[in-house]
Amino acid sequence: MKFGMDALVSISEKLLNRGLKYGDSVIIGENSCGKSLLLRLLVQKAGKTDSIYFLDAVNRGFDVGKVVRETKKPAYKRTIIDTRIQDDFFNLKDSFNCFGTMTERIEQIYYPYEEKLQDLFEKLTDERFRLIPGDVFGEVEFKEGRGLLSSGYQAIVRILLELLYYQDKCVEEKGIERAVVIIDELDEFLSPGYAYKIFPFLKEQFPQMDFIVTTHSGDLVAGAQNANLIVLDEKGYEVMDINDCQSISEVQIIFDRVFGGHMPQASETENILRRLFNNKINQAWTEGDQRQLEELKRENLTASQQLIYKQILEW
C-alpha cells in the first residue's frame, strides 16, 4: 500500500536523522507490516557510509567445526552489508562476505576475538566454552563438561562476534563517533530469559552504537530501557516510550492489540487519538498526523476523546 510505504519512508528518515527521543529503537508488528522492509530501507537510504551495520535474521549460526586457526583480523569492507541486502541473500542465506569473495565464513575470525568474545559470553550467560581441536561431533568444553552449542548460544556468539569485529575494524579504526547497528529479529533462537537481557546488554557493552532492532518477543520489549518502541501496522506507525512498558503485563496489552488477543477492541477513533498522542509526545509528529488531527474536528468525540484531543493540541 502506498500509505504504508510513505509511513516507512517517514519513520526511516526520523531514525536515520535521530529525530526521535532516543537513539535506540525496538520495532514490533505483524510479519506483513513491513518491519524487514523498513530495515532494508534504512540500509539503502544510508548509502555507502560505514557508520551503518546490518545483521539480518538468518545470520545466527556458528559452526565450531568450521573454525580455523587464524589470528589475522581482516580489514572491514562494506561488502558484508551490500551482500546481505541483495535479493538473493536478504533474510534467505547466511553470509559474512568480509573479503568480497563470497567464500568467507564468520568462523574465520573467531580466534582473533576469542578472549573478548568469551568474556562477553560469560557476562551474559554465566558460561564459557573452549573449542576442542579435532572433535568430530562439534562439541565444546563448558565449565561442567562437554556439549554442543545450542541454537540460542550460537545466535549469541554470532551477534557478539560480528559486533566485536565491526567495532574493532570499523568504528574504532575509522574513528566513527556514532554507529547504527540494525538487527532483524534480535530474539531469533533466544530463550525468553536471554531475550529479556540481550538488548540492554548490547547497549551496555557497545556504547558507541545505536541499536535499531525488530522483535516478536514481549520479553525483549519488557527488558529494554531508554528506547523508542515503534509499532508498525498497515495504516502507519506509532512511536511510544519503551520505559512505559516495563512489565510483561503492560507489554502484553500492546501485543494483544498488535497481534490480536483477548483484549477488547478500542474504537477506530480511540486508536487514532492514541497513536497521534504517542507520536506527538515522542517527537514523531508528521504532516500526515496533523491532517488526521484536523479531520477529527468533524467527529462527534466523547468527553474522554475530547480530553485527549485537547492534550494533543496543547503538547
Side-chain angles (χ1 to χ4, degrees):
M1 294 176 61
K2 184 176 185 299
F3 179 79
M5 179 54 69
D6 288 346
L8 294 183
V9 171
S10 175
I11 193 62
S12 69
E13 291 174 349
K14 290 182 180 296
L15 287 167
L16 287 175
N17 296 326
R18 293 186 173 89
L20 300 179
K21 183 176 181 180
Y22 300 104
D24 302 290
S25 295
V26 177
I27 303 168
I28 64 172
E30 290 280 13
N31 286 330
S32 60
C33 72
K35 297 194 306 298
S36 295
L37 178 60
L38 172 59
L39 300 194
R40 193 179 189 184
L41 184 63
L42 285 169
V43 176
Q44 292 171 333
K45 287 175 71 66
K48 295 296 181 179
T49 176
D50 286 331
S51 62
I52 292 281
Y53 194 77
F54 177 53
L55 256 166
D56 55 350
V58 298
N59 284 278
R60 295 295 189 275
F62 183 81
D63 186 347
V64 298
K66 296 294 194 300
V67 174
V68 294
R69 183 66 73 169
E70 173 63 66
T71 58
K72 183 179 179 181
K73 300 175 181 178
Y76 175 78
K77 293 184 179 181
R78 168 82 186 197
T79 50
I80 297 172
I81 298 173
D82 290 340
T83 300
R84 287 176 178 169
I85 62 173
Q86 293 176 14
D87 290 339
D88 291 343
F89 283 86
F90 181 67
N91 276 339
L92 295 173
K93 296 180 183 178
D94 189 293
S95 65
F96 186 69
N97 190 23
C98 61
F99 296 114
T101 67
M102 303 300 293
T103 61
E104 304 88 316
R105 295 185 60 93
I106 188 66
E107 292 83 5
Q108 290 175 254
I109 66 167
Y110 171 77
Y111 276 113
Y113 297 100
E114 181 179 29
E115 185 175 351
K116 289 183 178 179
L117 171 66
Q118 290 295 336
D119 288 344
L120 290 179
F121 187 81
E122 186 174 25
K123 284 182 180 179
L124 180 61
T125 67
D126 294 323
E127 185 65 87
R128 295 180 80 91
F129 64 87
R130 183 182 64 85
L131 301 189
I132 306 171
D135 185 272
V136 296
F137 298 106
E139 290 186 331
V140 297
E141 188 76 41
F142 291 107
K143 293 177 181 178
E144 303 298 329
R146 290 189 174 199
L148 296 172
L149 283 179
S150 67
S151 58
Y153 274 2
Q154 287 185 47
I156 291 170
V157 169
R158 181 61 178 270
I159 292 169
L160 294 178
L161 190 51
E162 292 217 21
L163 293 185
L164 283 169
Y165 169 70
Y166 174 61
Q167 175 179 258
D168 178 32
K169 300 302 292 181
C170 188
V171 177
E172 294 179 353
E173 197 166 285
K174 299 185 179 185
I176 297 173
E177 293 185 3
R178 201 69 187 170
V180 176
V181 173
I182 300 170
I183 305 178
D184 199 3
E185 302 298 351
L186 176 57
D187 60 296
E188 189 78 3
F189 301 122
L190 300 186
S191 66
Y194 289 132
Y196 183 86
K197 295 192 290 185
I198 188 69
F199 191 78
F201 180 79
L202 294 181
K203 287 181 60 176
E204 178 184 5
Q205 300 302 322
F206 299 95
Q208 286 178 273
M209 301 175 187
D210 287 339
F211 289 92
I212 300 174
V213 308
T214 67
T215 186
H216 283 110
S217 170
D219 295 286
L220 189 147
V221 173
Q225 296 178 353
N226 300 329
N228 310 299
L229 177 61
I230 301 173
V231 181
L232 294 181
D233 60 28
E234 72 279 0
K235 298 177 183 178
Y237 64 84
E238 176 181 351
V239 180
M240 305 171 66
D241 189 326
I242 212 163
N243 293 328
D244 292 330
C245 311
Q246 293 299 289
S247 72
I248 292 296
S249 60
E250 292 168 332
V251 174
Q252 190 59 51
I253 293 173
I254 297 172
F255 272 53
D256 282 344
R257 172 165 56 84
V258 174
F259 300 111
H262 60 273
M263 298 297 294
Q265 295 296 308
S267 71
E268 181 65 17
T269 299
E270 289 172 349
N271 285 332
I272 293 172
L273 284 167
R274 184 206 65 251
R275 184 183 66 80
L276 292 177
F277 185 62
N278 279 323
N279 284 356
K280 193 69 175 290
I281 65 177
N282 288 292
Q283 303 172 23
W285 195 254
T286 66
E287 292 182 1
D289 290 335
Q290 185 62 41
R291 288 194 297 271
Q292 202 160 29
L293 182 66
E294 293 172 357
E295 290 173 1
L296 287 174
K297 291 180 181 178
R298 296 189 289 271
E299 297 285 334
N300 184 23
L301 301 179
T302 66
S304 61
Q305 292 170 352
Q306 289 174 359
L307 178 60
I308 299 174
Y309 180 89
K310 183 179 179 182
Q311 290 175 318
I312 297 172
L313 289 175
E314 294 176 347
W315 190 269

